[in-house]
Amino acid sequence: MSAQDRLTDALYGLGWGTVKKLPEPAAVRLGRTIADLAWKQRGKGVQRLESNYARVMPDASPERLAELSRAGMRSYLRYWMESFRLPAWSRERIKSGFDPKDLHHLTEGMAAGKGVILALPHLANWDLAGAWVTTQLGIPFTTVAERLKPETLYDRFVAYREGLGMEVLPHSGGTAFGTLARRLRDGGLVCLVADRDLSASGVEVDFFGDTARMPAGPALLAQQTGALLLPVTLWYDDSPVMRGRVHPPVEVPESGTRAERTSVMTQALADAFATGIADHPEDWHMLQRLWLADLDPTKGRP
């Protein structure tokens, strides 16, 4: 392991070991202080976040985008402070920490016994939403995690999420899809963060007026297993409670090839994600390149 990898692993270990012991007001203040310092330094992550917000709000002035990126960094650090502290939260604190709307789409879908896929963008705190599902609803679920470097850091994340009641599969290795399909055929729940493609097999979608690529997995799983596909969006307000909405199901088209049906369904997911992101852009933690024109200038629209 390189010195940089050891430092990265140690910093995350410090977060989970120390921040979770802080009183909640102190953790909130610490997160805001770190966020403001990072924002003032204008590093690559902050610049990319601001660039992504410019696509979401193309008419925003430079001053408005700067305000938005500062709020975005505060939201991002709120996510980290909450995540470091979640293992120490009581069941009651988890139950009171999330207030989703239109939950009936999920509960009725689970009651039907055909399995449910929840697809989310990188909005607010998806780990807290997952912990709420396992704690408040008592529904276990399976998810997929990107393999991080160093391996010890990936192991930390897996242990953290498994400690919250999730079954975690590695994104790489080729076996995740089959396991997810089996869980769904058994009437289970699968949760996937689905606004950024991590493979070469993503689906091109129109996203805020330009082309991006999103994973095909949620749509393919719904077609192959008959499971219900539900988009979910999350956001913060000025309270300690995270808000959310379960959107209506994405239907499988009655006609077309598998690729055509997958394209239509993935576009529907992107449209649902866009509504949540447009309403609460500061809670979209996308500090990486997403649009094809940013990944490869030759791929953008004229």
Side-chain angles (χ1 to χ4, degrees):
M1 186 189 302
S2 69
Q4 180 62 46
D5 285 347
R6 286 196 297 271
L7 176 61
T8 300
D9 183 59
L11 288 173
Y12 278 97
L14 181 65
W16 270 300
T18 302
V19 173
K20 71 178 181 182
K21 298 177 182 178
L22 293 175
E24 192 156 340
V28 170
R29 288 194 300 271
L30 176 62
R32 179 160 292 197
T33 299
I34 295 172
D36 288 350
L37 287 172
W39 178 77
K40 289 176 182 177
Q41 290 177 354
R42 301 286 300 169
K44 290 183 179 180
V46 173
Q47 293 180 48
R48 175 50 51 190
L49 184 67
E50 201 164 293
S51 176
N52 289 339
Y53 287 159
R55 287 188 176 273
V56 175
M57 301 180 66
D59 297 328
S61 66
E63 293 77 16
R64 173 60 181 137
L65 289 174
E67 292 174 359
L68 196 57
S69 65
R70 183 177 189 179
M73 288 304 295
R74 287 182 172 184
S75 175
Y76 185 49
L77 264 295
R78 176 173 172 175
Y79 160 76
W80 279 113
M81 293 298 108
E82 286 180 350
S83 295
F84 287 143
R85 290 174 51 76
L86 263 176
W89 279 14
S90 67
R91 291 178 61 84
E92 291 307 312
R93 177 65 182 91
I94 292 174
K95 290 179 179 181
S96 65
F98 181 39
D99 179 26
K101 299 179 180 180
D102 299 325
L103 189 64
H104 65 93
H105 292 304
L106 170 59
T107 55
E108 291 171 4
M110 292 301 296
K114 294 185 178 180
V116 173
I117 306 157
L118 297 180
L120 307 86
H122 285 80
L123 274 168
N125 191 338
W126 46 96
D127 286 329
L128 172 56
W132 187 88
V133 167
T134 61
T135 304
Q136 175 67 24
L137 302 183
I139 301 175
F141 67 87
T142 305
T143 189
V144 174
E146 179 183 0
R147 277 205 175 275
L148 303 171
K149 292 182 179 180
E151 191 75 14
T152 51
L153 179 58
Y154 171 76
D155 292 341
R156 285 186 189 274
F157 271 94
V158 169
Y160 156 63
R161 290 183 170 129
E162 288 180 342
L164 299 176
M166 312 174 193
E167 179 188 21
V168 182
L169 307 176
H171 180 270
S172 58
T175 62
F177 188 92
T179 303
L180 295 174
R182 286 194 296 274
R183 299 291 183 268
L184 291 168
R185 290 194 185 98
D186 290 339
L189 177 64
V190 165
C191 300
L192 301 170
V193 179
D195 58 342
R196 179 168 171 255
D197 180 52
L198 295 175
S199 70
S201 59
V203 178
E204 291 189 4
V205 296
D206 184 278
F207 198 53
F208 291 103
D210 210 340
T211 305
R213 188 180 290 119
M214 294 188 181
L220 289 172
L221 283 167
Q223 293 176 63
Q224 186 164 316
T225 67
L228 200 65
L229 176 55
L230 300 175
V232 177
T233 54
L234 310 171
W235 67 92
Y236 291 128
D237 57 19
D238 293 330
S239 77
V241 180
M242 183 176 71
R243 312 296 174 176
R245 174 175 287 108
V246 182
H247 295 253
V250 172
E251 303 291 344
V252 178
E254 295 182 359
S255 61
T257 65
R258 186 173 73 164
E260 289 169 342
R261 293 195 300 268
T262 300
S263 178
V264 170
M265 295 173 72
T266 306
Q267 182 63 60
L269 278 182
D271 292 343
F273 294 166
T275 62
I277 293 167
D279 288 342
H280 305 278
E282 69 278 6
D283 293 323
W284 189 40
H285 308 150
M286 185 56 66
L287 281 73
Q288 299 85 20
R289 299 177 189 271
L290 180 71
W291 282 270
L292 298 193
D294 295 331
L295 292 164
D296 182 351
T298 65
K299 299 291 187 180
R301 294 181 179 175

